[in-house]
C-alpha cells in the first residue's frame, strides 16, 4: 500500500535532517567528531544517581510514579522558581512549567501560535532544532543579522518595522551554532525594541550555566518580562536523557503551552522531575556544576588555542566564554572541506545548515569540543587546518 500518499501536507516541510546524516558518518570507527552537540557522558553525575533515586523513593514514595499535573511536579517548580529568581527572572512556582526537554516547548510554541504564513524572526544563523520544531506549522522565516556580539539591534528594528512578526526566536547566550553571546548593551536595546513593537520573544537559554570565563549576563526575560517566553533545560547540567526542560512565560502563553502539552504527553515523567527536584534542592547541582565546567573548560581552551595556532590567519573563529560550540568562517566552500575532512577522519557540521535561506553560510562551520579530549581536539584541528590549507 502506498502509505506515502497518506502523509499530511505539513510533512512536506519536515524533511529528514541533513545533520542526522552527518552524525551517522561520525559513528564510523576512527572518526573524530567535532560535529555533534551533545554533552560529554563524563559530565553526568552518575555517582550520585543511586543516592538521589533512594531519596526520591523515600521522600515521595508512590507519588513519584503516579500521574501528575501537566504543569509539572510541584517541588521541582518551587526550586526552579528560586533558581530563576537568582538569575533575575521573577516567576512564582505556578508561573514555571516543566517540559519534556526544552525542545518540546519550541514545538508547543509553534502549535499554539503559528498559522501557516506567519512570520518568525530568527538569527542568521540559528538553532536547527528550532527550525525543525517550527517548520510543521509553516511559518515564513525572516533573518536578523548578527555579528560577533550577537543580534544586531538595528537589523532587528528593520525586521520589526517592515514585517508583522508573530515570534522572535533567539539563543542569546553561547548560541548554538556560533557560541556567541549578545552583549548587555544589545540586550537592553533588544528588550526596548520588543517592548516598543509589542513583539513576543522566545529566549532559548540552554547554555548560560556553562560559563568558563567572564561575568554572567541577565536574561532578556529580566529586561522585558511581559514580552518574553524564557525556555531552559537541565540537559546540559544534569542529564539530557532525563528530558527535563522548563519555561517561564506570560500567563496567556503559559496556559496555552499547558493545553498543548496535555494533548501531547499529559505531563513529563514524574520520577525524573522528582530526581531533578532532589538534585537541585539538595545542593547536588551546585556541587556538581564546577565538575562539569572543569571538564569543558580545558577542552574549549584546547580548541581555541589549536585554532589560533593552525588555522589560516584570514579565517575568523568565535571565542565564546562558555557553551559547547565555536563558529568558523573563511573564504571556502565548507561542503567541499567537509568531504575531504571526513576522508581524514575529522567530522564537523558545515554552517549552511543553520541558515533558513538557501545559499547562506557556505563559508562557515560549527565545531563542538565537548566529546573529545584535549589531545584529540588539538590533532583534529591540525588535520582540519591541513585540509583547508590544501584548498588555498
Ligand atoms: N535549544 C538549543 C539552542 C539547543 O542547543 C538544544 C539542545 N541541542 C535544545 C534547545 C534542546 O535541548 P533539550 O530538549 O535537551 O532541553
Amino acid at each position: 500500500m502506498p502509505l506515502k500518499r497518506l502523509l499530511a501536507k505539513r510533512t512536506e516541510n519536515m524533511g529528514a535532517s541533513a545533520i542526522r546524516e552527518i552524525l551517522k558518518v561520525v559513528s564510523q570507527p576512527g572518526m573524530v567528531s567535532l560535529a555533534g552537540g551533545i554533552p560529554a557522558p563524563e559530565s553526568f553525575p552518575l555517582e550520585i544517581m543511586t543516592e538521589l533515586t533512594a531519596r526520591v523513593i523515600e521522600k515521595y514514595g508512590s507519588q513519584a510514579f503516579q500521574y501528575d499535573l501537566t504543569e509539572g511536579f510541584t517541588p521541582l517548580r518551587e526550586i526552579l522558581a528560586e533558581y530563576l529568581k537568582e538569575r533575575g527572572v521573577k516567576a512564582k512556582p505556578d508561573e514555571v512549567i516543566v517540559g519534556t526537554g526544552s525542545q518540546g516547548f519550541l514545538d508547543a510554541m509553534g502549535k499554539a501560535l503559528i498559522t501557516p504564513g506567519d512570520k518568525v524572526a530568527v538569527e542568521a544563523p540559528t538553532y536547527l532544532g528550532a527550525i525543525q520544531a517550527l517548520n510543521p506549522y509553516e511559518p515564513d522565516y525572516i533573518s536578523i543579522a548578527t555579528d560577533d556580539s550577537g543580534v544586531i539591534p538595528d537589523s532587528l528594528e528593520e525586521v520589526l518595522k517592515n514585517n508583522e512578526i508573530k515570534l522572535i526566536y533567539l539563543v542569546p547566550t553561547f548560541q548554538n551554532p556560533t557560541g556567541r553571546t549578545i552583549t548587555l548593551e544589545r540586550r537592553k536595546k533588544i528588550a526596548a525594541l520588543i517592548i516598543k513593537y509589542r513583539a513576543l520573544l522566545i529566549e532559548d537559554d540552554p547554555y548560560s550555566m556553562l560559563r568558563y570565563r567572564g561575568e554572567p549576563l541577565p536574561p532578556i526575560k529580566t529586561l522585558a518580562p511581559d514580552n518574553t517566553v524564557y525556555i531552559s533545560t537541565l540537559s546540559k547540567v544534569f542529564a539530557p536523557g532525563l528530558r527535563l526542560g522548563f519555561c517561564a512565560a506570560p500567563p496567556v502563553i503559559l496556559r496555552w503551552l499547558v493545553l498543548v502539552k496535555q494533548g501531547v504527553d499529559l505531563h513529563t515523567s514524574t520520577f525524573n522531575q522528582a530526581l531533578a527536584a532532589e538534585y537541585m534542592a539538595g545542593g547536588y547541582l551546585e556541587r556538581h556544576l564546577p565538575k562539569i565546567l572543569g571538564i569543558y573548560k580545558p577542552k574549549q581552551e584546547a580548541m581555541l588555542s589549536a585554532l589560533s595556532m593552525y588555522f589560516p590567519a584570514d579565517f575568523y573563529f568565535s571565542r565564546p566564554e562558555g557553551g559547547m560550540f565555536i563558529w568558523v568562517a573563511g573564504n571556502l566552500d565548507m561542503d567541499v572541506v567537509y568531504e575531504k575532512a571526513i576522508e581524514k577522519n575529522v567530522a564537523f557540521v558545515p554552517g549552511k545548515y543553520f541558515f533558513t535561506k538557501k545559499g547562506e553560510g557556505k563559508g562557515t562551520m560549527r565545531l563542538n569540543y565537548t566529546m573529545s579530549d584535549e589531545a584529540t581536539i588539538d590533532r583534529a584541528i591540525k588535520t582540519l587546518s591541513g585540509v583547508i590549507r590544501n584548498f588555498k
Side-chain angles (χ1 to χ4, degrees), residues 37-58:
I38 63 176
E42 67 268 27
S43 75
F44 307 157
L46 267 195
E47 66 288 353
I48 58 168
M49 287 300 189
T50 311
E51 189 181 321
L52 279 183
T53 303
R55 282 177 70 123
V56 164
I57 293 172
E58 193 184 314

Short mmCIF file of all heavy atoms in Angstrom, two decimals, residues 37-58:
data_model
loop_
_atom_site.label_atom_id
_atom_site.label_comp_id
_atom_site.label_asym_id
_atom_site.label_seq_id
_atom_site.Cartn_x
_atom_site.Cartn_y
_atom_site.Cartn_z
N GLY A 37 26.55 17.78 19.13
CA GLY A 37 26.30 18.89 20.05
C GLY A 37 25.83 18.33 21.37
O GLY A 37 25.01 18.93 22.03
N ILE A 38 26.37 17.16 21.72
CA ILE A 38 25.82 16.52 22.92
C ILE A 38 26.81 16.61 24.09
O ILE A 38 28.03 16.69 23.89
CB ILE A 38 25.40 15.06 22.64
CG1 ILE A 38 26.57 14.17 22.25
CG2 ILE A 38 24.33 15.00 21.56
CD1 ILE A 38 26.17 12.71 22.07
N PRO A 39 26.26 16.60 25.31
CA PRO A 39 27.14 16.69 26.48
C PRO A 39 28.05 15.47 26.61
O PRO A 39 27.71 14.38 26.14
CB PRO A 39 26.15 16.72 27.66
CG PRO A 39 24.83 17.10 27.08
CD PRO A 39 24.83 16.57 25.68
N ALA A 40 29.21 15.67 27.23
CA ALA A 40 30.13 14.57 27.48
C ALA A 40 29.52 13.62 28.51
O ALA A 40 29.03 14.09 29.55
CB ALA A 40 31.46 15.11 28.00
N PRO A 41 29.56 12.31 28.25
CA PRO A 41 28.96 11.39 29.23
C PRO A 41 29.60 11.50 30.61
O PRO A 41 28.94 11.30 31.62
CB PRO A 41 29.19 10.00 28.63
CG PRO A 41 30.01 10.19 27.41
CD PRO A 41 30.05 11.64 27.05
N GLU A 42 30.89 11.88 30.64
CA GLU A 42 31.55 12.00 31.95
C GLU A 42 31.06 13.22 32.74
O GLU A 42 31.43 13.41 33.90
CB GLU A 42 33.08 11.99 31.81
CG GLU A 42 33.71 13.18 31.11
CD GLU A 42 33.88 12.99 29.60
OE1 GLU A 42 33.11 12.22 28.98
OE2 GLU A 42 34.79 13.63 29.01
N SER A 43 30.21 14.04 32.09
CA SER A 43 29.66 15.19 32.81
C SER A 43 28.40 14.81 33.60
O SER A 43 27.89 15.62 34.38
CB SER A 43 29.32 16.33 31.84
OG SER A 43 28.15 16.04 31.10
N PHE A 44 27.89 13.61 33.40
CA PHE A 44 26.67 13.22 34.13
C PHE A 44 27.04 12.82 35.56
O PHE A 44 28.03 12.11 35.77
CB PHE A 44 25.96 12.03 33.45
CG PHE A 44 25.66 12.24 31.98
CD1 PHE A 44 25.48 11.15 31.13
CD2 PHE A 44 25.56 13.52 31.44
CE1 PHE A 44 25.21 11.33 29.78
CE2 PHE A 44 25.29 13.71 30.09
CZ PHE A 44 25.12 12.61 29.26
N PRO A 45 26.22 13.20 36.54
CA PRO A 45 26.56 12.89 37.93
C PRO A 45 26.18 11.46 38.32
O PRO A 45 25.40 11.24 39.24
CB PRO A 45 25.73 13.91 38.72
CG PRO A 45 24.54 14.18 37.86
CD PRO A 45 24.99 14.00 36.43
N LEU A 46 26.75 10.48 37.59
CA LEU A 46 26.39 9.07 37.79
C LEU A 46 26.57 8.64 39.24
O LEU A 46 25.77 7.87 39.77
CB LEU A 46 27.28 8.18 36.91
CG LEU A 46 26.79 7.79 35.54
CD1 LEU A 46 27.61 6.62 35.00
CD2 LEU A 46 25.30 7.43 35.56
N GLU A 47 27.65 9.15 39.87
CA GLU A 47 27.99 8.68 41.21
C GLU A 47 26.94 9.01 42.26
O GLU A 47 26.91 8.39 43.31
CB GLU A 47 29.38 9.20 41.62
CG GLU A 47 29.53 10.71 41.81
CD GLU A 47 29.51 11.55 40.52
OE1 GLU A 47 29.52 10.97 39.42
OE2 GLU A 47 29.47 12.79 40.63
N ILE A 48 26.05 9.97 41.96
CA ILE A 48 25.04 10.30 42.96
C ILE A 48 23.65 9.80 42.60
O ILE A 48 22.68 9.99 43.34
CB ILE A 48 24.96 11.83 43.22
CG1 ILE A 48 24.65 12.56 41.91
CG2 ILE A 48 26.22 12.36 43.87
CD1 ILE A 48 24.26 14.02 42.12
N MET A 49 23.53 9.13 41.44
CA MET A 49 22.20 8.74 40.97
C MET A 49 21.53 7.72 41.90
O MET A 49 20.32 7.77 42.12
CB MET A 49 22.26 8.18 39.54
CG MET A 49 22.51 9.24 38.49
SD MET A 49 21.21 10.50 38.47
CE MET A 49 21.64 11.41 36.98
N THR A 50 22.31 6.79 42.46
CA THR A 50 21.74 5.79 43.37
C THR A 50 21.17 6.49 44.60
O THR A 50 20.05 6.23 45.04
CB THR A 50 22.82 4.77 43.78
OG1 THR A 50 23.47 4.33 42.59
CG2 THR A 50 22.24 3.58 44.50
N GLU A 51 21.99 7.41 45.13
CA GLU A 51 21.57 8.16 46.31
C GLU A 51 20.32 9.00 46.03
O GLU A 51 19.36 9.02 46.81
CB GLU A 51 22.74 9.07 46.69
CG GLU A 51 22.64 9.78 48.00
CD GLU A 51 23.89 10.66 48.20
OE1 GLU A 51 25.01 10.20 47.85
OE2 GLU A 51 23.73 11.78 48.68
N LEU A 52 20.33 9.69 44.88
CA LEU A 52 19.17 10.53 44.52
C LEU A 52 17.92 9.68 44.37
O LEU A 52 16.84 10.04 44.85
CB LEU A 52 19.43 11.25 43.19
CG LEU A 52 20.26 12.52 43.19
CD1 LEU A 52 20.31 13.10 41.78
CD2 LEU A 52 19.68 13.56 44.14
N THR A 53 18.09 8.52 43.71
CA THR A 53 16.95 7.62 43.49
C THR A 53 16.38 7.19 44.84
O THR A 53 15.15 7.20 45.05
CB THR A 53 17.39 6.39 42.66
OG1 THR A 53 17.95 6.88 41.45
CG2 THR A 53 16.23 5.46 42.36
N ALA A 54 17.26 6.80 45.76
CA ALA A 54 16.81 6.36 47.09
C ALA A 54 16.07 7.49 47.80
O ALA A 54 15.02 7.28 48.40
CB ALA A 54 18.01 5.89 47.92
N ARG A 55 16.60 8.70 47.67
CA ARG A 55 15.95 9.85 48.33
C ARG A 55 14.56 10.10 47.76
O ARG A 55 13.62 10.40 48.49
CB ARG A 55 16.80 11.12 48.15
CG ARG A 55 18.00 11.15 49.09
CD ARG A 55 18.82 12.37 48.83
NE ARG A 55 18.14 13.59 49.25
CZ ARG A 55 18.64 14.46 50.11
NH1 ARG A 55 19.82 14.26 50.63
NH2 ARG A 55 17.97 15.54 50.42
N VAL A 56 14.45 9.97 46.44
CA VAL A 56 13.15 10.19 45.80
C VAL A 56 12.13 9.17 46.30
O VAL A 56 10.99 9.51 46.66
CB VAL A 56 13.28 10.11 44.25
CG1 VAL A 56 11.93 9.94 43.58
CG2 VAL A 56 13.98 11.35 43.73
N ILE A 57 12.55 7.91 46.37
CA ILE A 57 11.61 6.86 46.79
C ILE A 57 11.22 7.05 48.26
O ILE A 57 10.05 6.94 48.63
CB ILE A 57 12.20 5.47 46.50
CG1 ILE A 57 12.30 5.29 44.97
CG2 ILE A 57 11.37 4.35 47.13
CD1 ILE A 57 13.03 4.08 44.51
N GLU A 58 12.22 7.40 49.05
CA GLU A 58 11.97 7.60 50.48
C GLU A 58 11.02 8.80 50.69
O GLU A 58 10.08 8.74 51.47
CB GLU A 58 13.32 7.88 51.14
CG GLU A 58 13.32 7.80 52.65
CD GLU A 58 14.70 8.20 53.16
OE1 GLU A 58 15.70 7.70 52.60
OE2 GLU A 58 14.76 9.03 54.06
#
